[in-house]
Amino acid sequence: HAVTVFDAKPSVGRKFLLAGKGGLNLTHSEPFEPFVGRFGARAAQIEPLLRSFDADALRAWAAGLGVETFVGSSGRVFPADLKAAPLLRAWLHRLRAAGVRFAMRHRWT
């Protein structure tokens, strides 16, 4: 299938980069049940998604993109260099290599 990502912004991943200004908290390392419980009333809906891509899977995904992670004293998981840009660049490279297209400055009307 052909995939095109549409975005109103002029460049890909602006919000991702803004999130990275605080070190880019990727996930949390706490045990699964308490983590799912953080989603409150939506926990039952979110649980199967998190079971299929849990914190360990997310860390493996980042490592597969060449970005090592660490668990901070808060239990949050961050890129080792605390920067979003290297992770975003590697992810976009992988997506483009897989044929994903990006249409910037587009709005749904």
Side-chain angles (χ1 to χ4, degrees):
H1 299 299
V3 174
T4 302
V5 176
F6 291 87
D7 196 330
K9 301 294 183 191
S11 60
V12 177
R14 283 186 162 209
K15 288 189 180 183
F16 191 86
L17 293 173
L18 286 174
K21 290 198 181 274
L24 192 63
N25 172 13
L26 295 170
T27 188
H28 203 284
S29 65
E30 70 187 328
F32 188 80
E33 295 306 324
F35 183 62
V36 171
R38 291 179 179 266
F39 292 89
R42 304 267 329 250
Q45 294 169 308
I46 300 294
E47 182 177 355
L49 303 172
L50 293 176
R51 284 208 186 275
S52 68
F53 195 76
D54 63 8
D56 290 336
L58 189 140
R59 293 184 76 187
W61 170 81
L65 291 171
V67 176
E68 295 305 315
T69 59
F70 74 96
V71 178
S73 59
S74 64
R76 293 181 178 109
V77 177
F78 300 93
D81 64 2
L82 296 172
K83 295 181 181 178
L87 182 60
L88 179 61
R89 278 193 301 270
W91 189 14
L92 292 175
H93 178 76
R94 180 180 287 174
L95 291 170
R96 286 182 175 119
V100 174
R101 295 181 307 152
F102 295 87
M104 307 314 298
R105 299 178 195 230
H106 280 76
R107 290 192 181 274
W108 292 101
T109 56

